[in-house]
Structures are given as C-alpha cells and as structure tokens.
Amino acid sequence: MNESPKEGAGDAPEYDAWEAEVKSSRGLPLVWLIPLVALGIGIWLAYKTLSEEGPTITLLFKEAPGLEAGKSKIKFKDVEIGTVESVVLNEDLTGVVVTAKMEKHVATHLGENTAFWVVKPELGLAGVSGLDTLMAGNYIAVEFGGGKVVRSFVGLEHPPRIKADTPGRTFFLAADSAGPLKYGTPIYFRDIQVGQVVDVGLAEDNQSVQVEIFIDAPYHRMVHNSTRFWQVSGIDLSLSAQGVNLKVGSIMSLLQGGITFETPTLNDPKVQSSEPNTHFRLHKDFASIAEGTYTLRQPYLLFFDDSVRGLSVGAPVELKGIRVGTVTELKLALDFGAHKIRIPVVIEIDPERLIPYGAEEVIQRVKEEYKAAMESGRRPFMEKLVERGLRARLKTGNLLTGQLYVDLDFYPESPLKSLDYSGQYPELPTLPSVADELQRNVTEIVANLKKLPLDKIGQELLGTVQGSNRLMNSPELKEAIVSLNAAMKDLRHLAQTADREMVTLSTEAEKSLSATARVLEQLEPGSAMAVDISNALEELAASARSIRALTDYLERHPEALLHGKGGSGGKP
C-alpha cells in the first residue's frame, strides 16, 4: 500500500488513501519447518522400528504349562530369540495358541521343519532335565529346520531326542512287537550306549513294528548290512527243555531294557558301513538270531497218543541231539473213525540244518533226480529216512522242569511205515515215549501179577513156613541133629581108619605085584601061565587103582558112606 500527500487547500498536505501492494509468497514460512522436521523424525523412527522388528509367529500346543504372555521366552541354545505375546485357547478348545515375537535375525531360519517345544522340569529313568526352569520359569525351545519359511507351527509334546546337528545315522528296525521299546530306549554296543530309539510305531503294512533308531558318530560306522540287532533286558529268565537260563544285564538295561547289536564283518576293511535309513530285523533275543538265519522250513504232522504235558510251542525238535526244527502247533483232535482222542503236533524242520558244508553240488543233483516228485508235493529224501526207520517220539529235556521235546531218531527194528501224505502236512510216524513205554510195561507186569492166585500162594507159603517152623523147633529134629552129628563123627573116624587100611592094603598090593613081576620075569614069555598071570596082575592093578580112587572120594565125601556116591547133593 502506497500513500502520498495531495496539494491544494492550505499548506496542509492532503493524503489520499494509499493502496496496499499485495505480493504472493514464494515458500513455506519458516515456522512450518519445525513440524515437518518432527514428522520426518517420526517417520524415520517408525521405519527404523518396523525394519528392526522380527516376525510374529503362532504356535499350536496341546498344552502350554507355565507359559505367560510378556514373560515367557523363546530360546535357542539358551539365547533369547523371542518373547511370548499371548497365550489363548483355540476355537475348539483342543489346544493352546501361543503368539510370539521373534528376533529379526532368525526370521529366515523359520523353515517349515523348525520344531518348538515347551521346556519344563522332567525327572525320568533317562535322567533329570529342565532344572533351570525351576527358577526362571518354563520357556519354549526351538530347533531350526529347513524348508519353506512359514509363520505358523505345531509344537512338539516332547523335545526331539536327536538334534539336527548331531552327528550319526538313522536306521530302521522291524520287530514282531514293541515290547518295552519306547521313545529314548538306549542302544548298546558291548555294554556302551551308542544311540537310542527315536520312534516306535506300526509299520505301513500293520504286520510288524517299525523302530527308528539313531546311532551316534563314530559308532554308526560299526553298523554294516550284516549287523544283527536284538533286544536285551535287565533280567532274562527262560525256561525250556534245555533248562533254566538266567541272564542279568547292566543296571541301565535292568531299568530301561534296550537294544544291542553285533557286526560279524566289523574287522573286515572291505565292508562299508550301512547307508542312512537302512532297514534291519530286530530279534527278540540273541538265541532267536540263529533261528532267523534259516529261511526254508518244512512242516510235518505228528500224532501222539501219549500225554504231551510239558511240550509247548517253540519246543525244539532234535535229531541225534542237534536241533533241526521247532514245535509250532499243539492241539487236541477227536478221531471219529477210531473213537479215540489224538494229539496232532505240527513241527517245522529246517532242511538247511541238515545240509553239510560244501554239499551244494550233491544237493543240486538230488534235486534234479527227484524233481518230478518234489514238484508233485512229495519229499523223497524224508521218505527214504522214514523207510530206514526214522521215527519221532517225546523225550524229557529236563527232569527238574518236566519240559518235553520231540526227538527224531532211527529205529530199524520198528514196524515198516512210510511218509503219509493224506493230511494237511506229511505225517511222520511216531513211537510212544520212553516213559510211556516203561509205564505200559510196568502196567502189564502189574496186570499179570494181579492174575496170579497170590492169596492161595500166600496161604500155602504161610503153611509151609509154619510147618517148617514146627519142624525146626521139634525135639525130634534136635535129637536127629545130635544123632547125625555123632554119626558124622563116626563116619569121619571110619573114613580115617579106612584110609589107613587102604594105604596099607595098597602098599601090600604093590609089594605083591612087585614080587609077582619078578616071578613073571622068570617065566618063559608067551607061555599060557605067563599070560594068565599077566592078566591077573592087570586086574589086580585095576583093583588097586579103584581102591585108591575110592579112598580119595571118601576123603572128600565122607557122607557117601551113608547116602552112597552122588547122594544128598554130593558130586562125584
């Protein structure tokens, strides 16, 4: 606005109204700089805060013991990497949803295989864990895993036994039943714990149990494809036909059980370790390993009329004292045709046990020879053995336990029989057990004894004894004995006298013979008189020998004077 004075009336200048000159501003006033700067600082702080903030994740747990919003931490290797922001139940009340804020630097590690679990105090057979939570409270532990980066996870009920960075290898075992196996069951190698069971569950076919194990490094190199695994327990008590077996393991195995293994090719440098996730068979015990090595088994049917008390499924079948099979089935069957009860026993024989080492060519030749018969279902080799007298019979394996087993042996004297193919399985002929046969013989003897008139025999025997007693105690017998004693003395005296007389007579006879001989020497040989005299002398010599023999006999048997020669039991 411009104003200037006007000339005219008086000296006083007149001023016209000045017009203000309005000009447009070319920028913001400086006063606006302050809020603008404040806005910029706010935006920068917000950007910085948001850029430094970690991701928010949600965790679904079945339970969330001890977790508190704003207090509970998420830790990895005991380093805090997150904080729990909220703990709420899910919509169907089946779980707990935990929302947590994670540190930014771990955002890229939150793969879909990342595991979360609640750490709390635990006391078990495997040890004590989580004692630090008694003071600091429960927290969530994390084990980062690979995969696509996600923000929602399902929490674990238990911490993973095997961490991702633990050196070692995972293997799988197939077992008939789980038994005492469970999560964390130790695995031993020569009584040293080298791993543990990670998981136990049914196999895909639902026919067996699959056990996932982890062997720590460097022990995983001891697992080869020939490795055999079996279960161990603290106390292994078995009662079988072989007797009572008692094995006591270590204290840890006594408390938890466990698995152990052995590798036959351990010292063979040419054999490589098994690849991860290799599958093995888990045997129930060490003894069953040998059973598992025979894959070819042939069933046979046995019929026993004996009692099978003491025979059980799993009892051995032995041939010449060596196990060749196993009893697999026992039952009771009524024979409607014969109207009697029979006991069919099914056994499985392992033919591979009978094959000697290095006999593959012979076996192949036999197979070719009997190929047609074998294809028709016959078993020619067993037929030959049965024809030679192979029979089955029950025997007692242990007198203490009374356990029975099936014994196969050859009895050539038994009636000729053949392998019977009329049943479900080929039937092997059987014999009664030794005990049963002995019992039958004793029964027959007792039955025959019962047929004897024992009462009559006893009465007669009693009468005989009584009569003998009366006779022995009778005065007449005593007098007879006294008289007999006196007679014997007389006989002895007579014998001694006769002996002396006979000696004298014999001497005299010899003298006479000598004299006669001298006379004969003076006779003419061949004359009639000489011949007569010679005959007489021979008869006289024979008489002398007879007298000498009689004398000797009377010396040995003086009673012959009463009873004669050979009488009253005497011998000539």
Side-chain angles (χ1 to χ4, degrees):
M1 179 180 69
N2 295 327
E3 293 179 353
S4 59
K6 291 181 179 180
E7 297 178 355
D11 294 330
E14 293 181 359
Y15 296 91
D16 296 333
W18 290 25
E19 292 182 359
E21 182 180 359
V22 179
K23 296 181 178 179
S24 59
S25 175
R26 294 182 178 178
L28 291 175
L30 293 178
V31 70
W32 287 99
L33 291 177
I34 296 175
L36 289 176
V37 171
L39 178 61
I41 294 174
I43 293 173
W44 179 79
L45 290 176
Y47 171 76
K48 183 179 181 181
T49 301
L50 292 176
S51 62
E52 293 180 353
E53 190 178 42
T56 300
I57 62 173
T58 57
L59 306 173
L60 176 61
F61 291 101
K62 285 189 175 181
E63 294 178 349
L67 297 183
E68 297 181 23
K71 293 184 178 180
S72 298
K73 304 297 182 182
I74 297 178
K75 297 182 179 180
F76 176 69
K77 295 184 177 180
D78 290 335
V79 177
E80 294 183 5
I81 59 172
T83 304
V84 174
E85 292 185 339
S86 66
V87 180
V88 296
L89 295 173
N90 60 356
E91 294 181 357
D92 56 2
L93 305 180
T94 58
V96 178
V97 178
V98 176
T99 303
K101 178 69 73 178
M102 303 296 290
E103 298 289 344
K104 179 183 177 182
H105 60 278
V106 298
T108 56
H109 298 285
L110 295 172
E112 57 184 355
N113 295 323
T114 301
F116 294 87
W117 67 95
V118 178
V119 178
K120 55 187 177 182
E122 290 185 355
L123 175 62
L125 296 176
V128 180
S129 62
L131 289 180
D132 56 334
T133 60
L134 295 175
M135 300 297 294
N138 296 350
Y139 63 90
I140 297 175
V142 59
E143 184 72 31
F144 292 107
K148 181 182 177 181
V149 176
V150 294
R151 295 293 180 259
S152 297
F153 303 89
V154 177
L156 303 177
E157 296 184 35
H158 303 282
R161 298 296 182 185
I162 308 301
K163 296 183 179 179
D165 55 351
T166 302
R169 287 181 181 176
T170 298
F171 301 102
F172 292 92
L173 308 178
D176 294 331
S177 61
L181 300 179
K182 61 181 181 181
Y183 190 67
T185 299
I187 298 175
Y188 301 97
F189 180 75
R190 299 180 182 177
D191 292 336
I192 299 175
Q193 182 171 353
V194 297
Q196 62 183 352
V197 173
V198 179
D199 190 20
V200 179
L202 284 175
E204 294 181 356
D205 57 357
N206 296 327
Q207 300 298 320
S208 61
V209 174
Q210 179 173 281
V211 182
E212 180 182 355
I213 64 173
F214 186 84
I215 305 296
D216 300 325
Y219 304 105
H220 68 277
R221 294 198 296 267
M222 300 178 181
V223 179
H224 299 173
N225 291 342
S226 61
T227 298
R228 298 166 181 175
F229 292 85
W230 68 92
Q231 297 186 47
V232 294
S233 59
I235 297 178
D236 185 8
L237 177 63
S238 61
L239 184 64
S240 64
Q242 284 76 26
V244 179
N245 294 322
L246 176 61
K247 296 180 181 178
V248 180
S250 62
I251 298 298
M252 292 303 296
S253 63
L254 180 66
L255 297 175
Q256 305 182 66
I259 297 174
T260 186
F261 63 92
E262 189 61 54
T263 303
T265 57
L266 185 62
N267 297 324
D268 190 349
K270 299 180 181 178
V271 180
Q272 300 295 325
S273 302
S274 298
E275 296 294 329
N277 302 324
T278 302
H279 290 253
F280 295 90
R281 176 68 179 173
L282 178 60
H283 301 274
K284 64 178 181 180
D285 50 32
F286 181 77
S288 61
I289 293 178
E291 299 299 323
T293 57
Y294 299 103
T295 57
L296 180 59
R297 296 178 178 175
Q298 294 180 342
Y300 289 91
L301 181 64
L302 310 176
F303 278 104
F304 290 105
D305 295 328
D306 315 333
S307 171
V308 295
R309 182 181 178 82
L311 183 68
S312 59
V313 174
V317 178
E318 297 185 357
L319 175 62
K320 299 290 185 181
I322 299 177
R323 182 164 185 161
V324 296
T326 306
V327 175
T328 59
E329 186 178 355
L330 281 171
K331 59 183 180 181
L332 200 64
L334 178 61
D335 189 343
F336 293 97
H339 300 287
K340 65 178 183 179
I341 296 176
R342 307 188 71 186
I343 303 175
V345 176
V346 179
I347 64 173
E348 285 186 348
I349 295 178
D350 308 323
E352 296 174 339
R353 296 177 186 263
L354 306 176
I355 299 177
Y357 294 107
E360 289 77 9
E361 295 182 359
V362 178
I363 297 300
Q364 186 63 30
R365 187 171 64 253
V366 172
K367 286 183 177 179
E368 294 178 356
E369 181 179 358
Y370 295 102
K371 182 178 180 181
M374 295 175 66
E375 290 178 352
S376 63
R378 293 174 52 194
R379 295 169 185 176
F381 183 72
M382 188 59 73
E383 291 177 2
K384 297 291 183 183
L385 297 180
V386 172
E387 292 176 358
R388 291 182 51 197
L390 182 67
R391 302 290 185 271
R393 74 189 317 175
L394 296 176
K395 284 190 176 180
T396 301
N398 190 292
L399 294 176
L400 180 62
T401 62
Q403 295 293 312
L404 298 178
Y405 69 97
V406 177
D407 179 70
L408 299 178
D409 208 339
F410 292 92
Y411 300 90
E413 70 282 359
S414 61
L416 183 62
K417 292 187 177 180
S418 59
L419 200 63
D420 188 0
Y421 292 97
S422 60
Q424 182 179 3
Y425 305 115
E427 180 185 343
L428 280 174
T430 61
L431 293 176
S433 64
V434 176
D436 187 71
E437 189 174 1
L438 179 61
Q439 184 179 1
R440 290 182 181 178
N441 293 335
V442 172
T443 303
E444 291 178 359
I445 293 174
V446 172
N448 293 330
L449 289 176
K450 287 183 178 179
K451 296 178 181 179
L452 296 176
L454 297 178
D455 295 341
K456 184 179 179 180
I457 295 174
Q459 292 175 358
E460 292 180 354
L461 181 61
L462 180 60
T464 302
V465 171
Q466 290 176 349
S468 300
N469 189 25
R470 287 194 299 270
L471 178 62
M472 295 298 293
N473 295 324
S474 63
E476 293 81 3
L477 182 60
K478 293 181 179 178
E479 292 178 358
I481 294 175
V482 173
S483 300
L484 181 60
N485 188 22
M488 292 299 296
K489 290 181 179 179
D490 294 340
L491 287 175
R492 188 176 298 108
H493 177 72
L494 179 60
Q496 291 176 353
T497 302
D499 184 52
R500 289 193 297 271
E501 293 297 331
M502 290 297 176
V503 172
T504 303
L505 182 59
S506 177
T507 304
E508 293 297 331
E510 289 180 355
K511 291 179 179 180
S512 299
L513 289 174
S514 300
T516 305
R518 287 193 297 271
V519 172
L520 291 177
E521 289 177 354
Q522 297 176 1
L523 295 177
E524 184 179 356
S527 63
M529 184 176 180
V531 173
D532 294 339
I533 292 173
S534 177
N535 294 334
L537 290 175
E538 290 179 357
E539 293 177 358
L540 185 59
S543 301
R545 288 194 295 273
S546 301
I547 292 171
R548 189 179 294 107
L550 176 61
T551 302
D552 295 339
Y553 182 79
L554 290 175
E555 287 180 355
R556 295 193 303 270
H557 305 285
E559 70 276 7
L561 295 173
L562 294 176
H563 304 288
K565 188 177 181 180
S568 188
K571 295 181 179 179

